[in-house]
Amino acid sequence: SDAVKLKNCTACRLVKYCGVDCQKVHRKQHKNLCKQRVAELNDEQLYTQGHERPEGDFCPICTLPIPLPMNEHSFFKVCCSKRICSGCTFAAKKRGMSGCPFCRTSLPDSDADVLASIQKRVLKKDPAAIDFLGRSYANGNLGLQRDMQKSVNLWTEAAELGSIEALCNLGLAHVTEFNDVATAVKFWTKAAMQGHVESRHNLGSIEAQKGNHDRAVKHLMIAVKMGGKDSVESIQRMCMFGLATKEQYAEALKGYQDAVEETKSHDRDEARKLNARN
């Protein structure tokens, strides 16, 4: 056939061209429309992806989502890099189990033992372990000297291996250490689109600071419906100042309550009562 095969603009996919020369001639006319459509496509991905929490947010024993913030309701086990919820930890102790409830390994006795265990996992390229070691350097824990550059290097490696937590930590590091919000947003965007609640909340906060309140509410509402308490409070404040509607706040409250309900279990309730007594 003598018919010319047209090719789409690879960015916006809206316009077809017969060749490179044709595309170059049309570039000035098409540029603004192309940018607008690309932004629309990016937003479509940003707001339609990441509505479910990732696998690492679920306890591997009871398989329920861990309440947020996870560090207050679960324990990271350096022996197997699993995050075990407080309920399953309580149930294991109740049965007389002294080791890890998941892999049965004896618990480390000292910071040196913890560090040795985590370094074994790091050598195996375990992304969760690498992220944990990065946080240890960032906070100067386990007898390590605080070293943010070492942390960033470890988080970069962990992120490349699939750690969503590491993406969030890289974003936080670029804000607190390097005053680079633009780069932080890129990391948080990647994490948020994979269901990371804190990163989604951070994106909402950034949009609110810019005065983009509609975009902020969209982000915060997604975080709320995955159990983000800080996001509920942000929408409440926005509602008080007329930056969000009462209907949006009501939707946020219901979404948050539904998300919290999904995290409840008898063992978690018992663990919470025990902690309250202590």
Side-chain angles (χ1 to χ4, degrees):
S1 170
D2 293 331
V4 177
K5 187 175 181 180
L6 301 179
K7 294 184 178 180
N8 284 318
C9 170
T10 55
C12 69
R13 317 292 295 180
L14 287 176
V15 182
K16 294 180 182 291
Y17 297 102
C18 60
V20 175
D21 291 337
C22 178
Q23 187 172 10
K24 286 180 178 179
V25 170
H26 189 240
R27 182 170 293 162
K28 286 185 178 180
Q29 293 173 263
H30 178 57
K31 185 177 179 181
N32 290 337
L33 178 62
C34 185
K35 283 187 175 181
Q36 180 182 337
R37 181 55 182 158
V38 168
E40 290 172 356
L41 291 172
N42 289 340
D43 273 358
E44 185 178 322
Q45 288 185 314
L46 178 59
Y47 292 116
T48 59
Q49 296 181 15
H51 288 235
E52 300 289 336
R53 293 176 66 182
E55 182 181 351
D57 283 14
F58 290 74
C59 175
I61 297 177
C62 67
T63 71
L64 292 173
I66 299 170
L68 299 172
M70 289 199 298
N71 64 321
E72 294 181 8
H73 301 277
S74 64
F75 303 90
F76 182 82
K77 300 300 181 181
V78 296
C79 46
C80 54
S81 294
K82 299 297 183 183
R83 185 171 285 280
I84 312 300
C85 77
S86 57
C88 289
T89 301
F90 168 80
K93 288 181 179 179
K94 193 175 180 179
R95 293 195 301 269
M97 187 184 299
S98 59
C100 172
F102 185 80
C103 70
R104 307 297 194 265
T105 302
S106 298
L107 299 180
D109 295 321
S110 64
D111 283 352
D113 291 340
V114 171
L115 186 58
S117 294
I118 207 67
Q119 285 175 331
K120 287 180 182 178
R121 304 291 306 180
V122 168
L123 289 174
K124 294 179 180 180
K125 299 299 181 182
D126 182 327
I130 297 170
D131 172 67
F132 181 90
L133 186 58
R135 283 185 278 120
S136 298
Y137 273 106
N139 298 319
N141 294 338
L142 305 180
L144 298 170
Q145 185 175 351
R146 188 176 187 272
D147 187 338
M148 279 306 300
Q149 190 54 58
K150 182 75 171 177
S151 293
V152 168
N153 292 342
L154 287 165
W155 287 331
T156 300
E157 181 182 1
E160 290 172 350
L161 291 169
S163 171
I164 304 173
E165 285 289 335
L167 287 171
C168 181
N169 288 330
L170 282 167
L172 293 171
H174 277 81
V175 169
T176 59
E177 300 294 325
F178 312 127
N179 196 29
D180 186 353
V181 177
T183 300
V185 166
K186 291 179 182 178
F187 285 121
W188 288 335
T189 297
K190 289 180 182 179
M193 291 171 67
Q194 297 177 70
H196 194 269
V197 179
E198 183 181 350
S199 294
R200 181 69 74 172
H201 173 82
N202 291 343
L203 291 178
S205 298
I206 294 294
E207 293 291 359
Q209 290 169 15
K210 292 179 179 178
N212 300 327
H213 304 300
D214 288 343
R215 295 175 65 86
V217 170
K218 284 183 181 180
H219 282 302
L220 295 172
M221 195 69 76
I222 294 170
V224 159
K225 293 180 180 180
M226 291 189 286
K229 185 178 180 181
D230 289 344
S231 298
V232 177
E233 294 171 351
S234 293
I235 292 178
Q236 181 185 31
R237 286 193 296 272
M238 292 178 74
C239 183
M240 290 171 61
F241 288 101
L243 304 174
T245 65
K246 291 181 180 179
E247 290 77 15
Q248 287 172 326
Y249 179 46
E251 181 184 349
L253 279 176
K254 184 181 185 306
Y256 174 71
Q257 290 163 358
D258 289 345
V260 169
E261 198 64 31
E262 291 179 2
T263 68
K264 290 184 178 180
S265 74
H266 174 73
D267 286 334
R268 290 179 181 182
D269 287 342
E270 291 298 309
R272 179 178 52 79
K273 291 175 185 176
L274 179 63
N275 290 335
R277 286 198 296 269
N278 295 335

